Amino acid sequence: MTTWQVYLLADRLAFMNKPLNMHRKRTNSVTRETSQANVYPLEAIEQRVTMMALLGMDITEELKAYRWRLGVHRDELLKSGSTNLVKYKNVMQRLRILEKAASKKQ
């Protein structure tokens, strides 16, 4: 939720292609039990895409990531048999909007 804000406020960025941490997934770990939708929240990318668009930045790759996250949320809602029909309809509507916009560009 905050990393993209730090990047946009930074005067300089450095990239180091070295693994500096390690993440293990154990059978009883929280990350193994949590849904992908919780790992990839929509709110964070929606805020990022909005700010980048307002700044006139290229959001092509961000929109691809957003489309992917919407798919993750759709799949998780279907898999869990969620009764949250409103959330599912919102996700599907956003996917249709993005698909329609993409088809107009072609």
Side-chain angles (χ1 to χ4, degrees), residues 76-94:
E76 288 287 330
L77 287 164
L78 289 171
K79 183 171 72 175
S80 69
S82 175
T83 57
N84 194 340
L85 188 59
V86 172
K87 186 172 183 179
Y88 177 77
K89 285 183 174 183
N90 285 337
V91 166
M92 293 307 296
Q93 183 178 40
R94 292 173 191 171

Side-chain angles (χ1 to χ4, degrees), residues 44-93:
I45 196 163
E46 287 168 349
Q47 289 177 4
R48 186 169 64 240
V49 168
T50 300
M51 182 58 70
M52 290 175 71
L54 288 170
L55 294 172
M57 299 172 78
D58 180 12
I59 59 170
T60 305
E61 293 302 314
E62 297 299 319
L63 288 176
K64 289 178 188 174
Y66 182 46
R67 202 173 287 117
W68 178 81
R69 283 191 188 200
L70 285 167
V72 166
H73 281 256
R74 176 200 59 218
D75 296 347
E76 288 287 330
L77 287 164
L78 289 171
K79 183 171 72 175
S80 69
S82 175
T83 57
N84 194 340
L85 188 59
V86 172
K87 186 172 183 179
Y88 177 77
K89 285 183 174 183
N90 285 337
V91 166
M92 293 307 296
Q93 183 178 40

